[in-house]
Amino acid sequence: MADFLQFCKQFSPMEDAVLWKLAQQTVTKTYNKGAFLLHSGETCKYLYFVNEGLIKSYSEKEDKEFIMRFFSENLLFSVFDSYINQTPSKFNLVALEDARVTLVRYETMEALCKQHHAMETFFRKLVSIAATKMMKRISEMLEENATDRYRSFVEENNAIHQRISLGDLAKYLGITQQSLSRIRTIR
């Protein structure tokens, strides 16, 4: 099981007093497989840290599902445009497995960032990494063919790719399940 405070210390050095304040303000919840952490149209009020389980971020349009990312153990994430601007999200977050998730409220992070430079640095790094990963995701979808996207995904997500259904993986790659099956057989 992943440890939220250990993750924070590795991500950005922080004094024990700051970590203690953060720990006092977090809540850990359990979500059953299929449970929503966030529905599109709701404002994202949390940073989410996956202690156990697997979460997907996706949007829907005209009965089509577009999967943006998968989040597994030891990852801290959010729907950042909704979270930072406190506006309705265009994305859903749903548990693909039973999951234990540590939540940090928006108001808590804002207050801690104002009080502690180390926390502000931590949050800046988190958002910077999220932006970098988003740019990489967009670049892959625009510039790579499906076979290369599949290979990259498996290489970068070796620990979780077997936990993701073929249907979800195909949606993530932007291809049909039949195309994914062909790619996997010629791999």
Side-chain angles (χ1 to χ4, degrees):
M1 177 173 56
D3 181 318
F4 174 60
L5 295 180
Q6 195 62 35
F7 171 85
C8 292
K9 286 181 359 186
Q10 290 175 353
F11 199 77
S12 180
M14 283 188 251
E15 299 166 2
D16 288 340
V18 176
L19 288 170
W20 184 84
K21 282 184 179 180
L22 178 60
Q24 299 305 306
Q25 300 293 320
T26 64
V27 174
T28 299
K29 292 176 108 178
T30 301
Y31 295 91
N32 293 326
K33 179 179 178 176
F36 282 81
L37 288 72
L38 177 71
H39 289 275
S40 69
E42 296 175 347
T43 298
C44 184
K45 298 184 182 307
Y46 300 102
L47 292 176
Y48 303 90
F49 178 79
V50 183
N51 297 290
E52 294 177 50
L54 184 63
I55 312 295
K56 77 174 173 179
S57 168
Y58 72 97
S59 64
E60 294 175 298
K61 187 171 185 175
E62 299 170 7
D63 294 331
K64 283 189 85 173
E65 186 176 297
F66 301 93
I67 298 177
M68 185 57 67
R69 291 278 317 269
F70 297 100
F71 304 99
S72 63
E73 292 83 5
N74 212 35
L75 288 176
L76 182 62
F77 68 96
S78 191
V79 178
F80 280 106
D81 60 334
S82 175
Y83 178 83
I84 290 170
N85 298 313
Q86 287 297 279
T87 56
S89 173
K90 294 178 181 168
F91 291 89
N92 297 289
L93 297 173
V94 68
L96 295 178
E97 303 171 345
D98 291 346
R100 280 190 62 242
V101 180
T102 298
L103 308 172
V104 182
R105 289 189 66 78
Y106 171 81
E107 295 83 5
T108 298
M109 187 55 69
E110 284 291 300
L112 288 172
C113 284
K114 286 178 184 171
Q115 295 169 1
H116 303 282
H117 178 69
M119 187 59 69
E120 188 175 38
T121 300
F122 168 81
F123 187 69
R124 178 187 49 79
K125 285 181 178 180
L126 177 66
V127 173
S128 296
I129 288 170
T132 301
K133 288 186 178 198
M134 184 57 60
M135 292 304 296
K136 182 180 183 301
R137 173 86 169 109
I138 292 167
S139 178
E140 286 173 352
M141 292 303 290
L142 293 174
E143 298 170 4
E144 293 182 5
N145 65 45
T147 302
D148 291 340
R149 288 196 305 269
Y150 174 74
R151 286 186 185 131
S152 293
F153 181 84
V154 171
E155 285 174 21
E156 294 170 17
N157 298 281
N158 194 36
I160 67 165
H161 89 274
Q162 295 291 336
R163 294 163 55 188
I164 298 168
S165 73
L166 292 180
D168 277 349
L169 184 52
K171 290 173 191 170
Y172 175 84
L173 296 170
I175 59 176
T176 65
Q177 204 165 330
Q178 294 78 9
S179 295
L180 177 57
S181 294
R182 279 192 299 276
I183 289 169
R184 292 177 71 216
T185 58
I186 59 173
R187 185 174 171 246

